[in-house]
Each structure stands twice: as structure tokens, then as C-alpha cells.
Amino acid sequence: MPMFVLLEARVSSEPAIQGSPRLPIELIELIIDHLHDDGDALRACKQVSRSFLPRTRFQLFHTITLSPRNLPVFLAIIGASPFIAGVVHDLTINHPFASLFLTYVDAEENLEIRRQLAMITPMLTNVEVLRIRGHVGGRADYIVELKGVKELHLHECVISKLSDFADIMYSFPKLQAIHCTVSDVGRGVVTSVKPPAGWAPRKLAFVNTRIDPYLFIPWLIGHESL
């Protein structure tokens, strides 16, 4: 399912809605599903009938990408229509540094980004797939709120210690799959960080990722549930 480009969104009052459609709602929803990759057509569907709104919102906001450029826009959208946050199931967070070779970002800008994310993520209660690109450091405050995540993708992330990596993983009690690509996980023994009860991912995939096997493998073995 394509990502909804939030920069194109417009915050406005509900459109004038016409009467109920004559077609069965099941057929209407099937038609709307076929328009999943056409944002303009989906926004036009919202104007047709009140019955079209739930399915068009699902298709528009099921998969979103947040970045420093569109965070304020999405904050405004869910501020005007809070229920939209519950539609999001697949979330991508793009940090301003998306390269292992460019890990610097202005400290004040980074704090503002994290502040805005911390305002948004508590409302995203139905996110099951989380994709993080360009993250540097350990667990961020905004991650803690996404308890429903089942599938985690880390891309071009720099995590200084294995204990920080474990801390991020343990933030998601329902986690089933971990995908780590083009990332770097530093050394450091996991000590006090413990997994939540029932934490048992079934899939771990590492591609072009630097991680110390002499620390990582014992860490994996230490989980009786894996």
C-alpha cells in the first residue's frame, strides 16, 4: 500500500456531503480499495457521500511517513480530526540524517523533532508496522508509546551499544519480526535491560549491518523464548 504524502494534505472542515449512495456499501468499498494508490481520486471520493468517508480515510492514512517537513502538518490534521490517528497501521519515521556517514543534526532541531513525535505517537494506538530511518542513539521517548508494533524495520540507523539496541527491541512487547538494514550497532554487553514478559520475535533479518557476533549471539541465546 502506497504511503500517503502528508505534505499534500489540507486541514479543513468536512466537505459538503451528498445523499446516500445507491450501490451496496460492500461494492463501494471494493471500488475505493482499487483506488488505494491514487490520492487525488480518494480525496474526491470523500466529497461524494458520507458512506465513502470511513474507507477513504482508511486508504489515505493506513500507511504514512513522518519527517521533519511534515510533522507540523500531521499534528494539525490529528488536532482537527483525532480519530484519524487510529487509522494509521504502517508508520515510517524519517529522521533528518539518513546516512551512516552523516550523523550530525542541529541539537535544537533534533529536540524539536522528538518533541513533536512524542506528541503524536501516543495517539497512534493501532500502529503494527514501524519503520525508522536515520535514527542515532538509544531508545527515544516517542518509541515507548507504540506498544502495538509487531514488525520493526531499522534502516541507516546508528546505535552505539548493543544494550541500546536491546532497549529499543524491548520497547515492543508484541514484536514478531525485526529487520535491520545498512545500520551499525556498537559493542557493549547487555546487563540490566530485560525483555517484557512474552517477548518472542520469530524473525530476525540483518542485511549490510555491522554488529558484533560474539556479543549478539550470546544475547540471543539468553532468551529462552527465542
Side-chain angles (χ1 to χ4, degrees):
M1 190 172 295
M3 291 177 292
F4 173 63
V5 182
L6 293 174
L7 290 176
E8 296 181 0
R10 297 291 184 270
V11 181
S12 61
S13 58
E14 291 288 352
I17 307 294
Q18 303 301 320
S20 300
R22 297 180 180 178
L23 294 175
I25 190 62
E26 294 82 5
L27 180 58
I28 291 171
E29 290 182 347
L30 183 62
I31 294 171
I32 293 173
D33 288 345
H34 278 283
L35 300 174
H36 64 87
D37 58 350
D38 191 335
D40 290 338
L42 289 171
R43 283 185 283 274
C45 286
K46 290 174 59 179
Q47 310 285 339
V48 176
S49 168
R50 197 176 304 278
S51 299
F52 285 33
L53 293 178
R55 201 63 178 182
T56 54
R57 285 169 178 159
F58 174 82
Q59 293 294 351
L60 283 169
F61 292 97
H62 178 277
T63 301
I64 67 170
T65 295
L66 297 179
S67 67
R69 294 179 60 191
N70 63 23
L71 277 172
V73 174
F74 189 65
L75 271 171
I77 290 173
I78 60 178
S81 303
F83 57 86
I84 286 178
V87 179
V88 181
H89 284 72
D90 190 322
L91 171 65
T92 296
I93 297 175
N94 283 337
H95 286 269
F97 36 85
S99 170
L100 291 179
F101 307 104
L102 182 61
T103 58
Y104 169 79
V105 65
D106 180 79
E108 185 174 340
E109 178 186 1
N110 191 32
L111 286 174
E112 177 60 20
I113 292 168
R114 294 192 176 212
R115 185 191 68 80
Q116 292 180 357
L117 285 170
M119 294 172 60
I120 291 172
T121 51
M123 303 177 68
L124 304 180
T125 55
N126 293 321
V127 171
E128 295 185 347
V129 180
L130 176 61
R131 311 171 197 273
I132 302 176
R133 178 171 181 159
H135 175 72
V136 174
R139 183 179 67 175
D141 292 340
Y142 66 83
I143 289 178
V144 179
E145 303 293 341
L146 299 171
K147 299 296 186 183
V149 170
K150 297 179 180 179
E151 185 176 328
L152 175 66
H153 296 256
L154 299 176
H155 182 68
E156 293 186 342
C157 294
V158 179
I159 303 169
S160 57
K161 297 181 295 184
L162 181 57
S163 57
D164 289 339
F165 177 81
D167 200 18
I168 294 173
M169 300 302 103
Y170 296 160
S171 298
F172 311 111
K174 299 180 180 180
L175 195 61
Q176 298 176 2
I178 302 168
H179 302 265
C180 195
T181 59
V182 197
S183 295
D184 181 48
V185 180
R187 299 174 62 89
V189 179
V190 179
T191 53
S192 60
V193 184
K194 302 296 181 183
W199 189 83
R202 291 291 176 254
K203 181 178 181 180
L204 292 90
F206 294 84
V207 179
N208 295 333
T209 293
R210 186 174 68 179
I211 190 168
D212 189 336
Y214 296 103
L215 293 175
F216 183 66
I217 293 176
W219 173 69
L220 285 179
I221 295 174
H223 295 82
E224 297 179 358
S225 58
L226 296 180

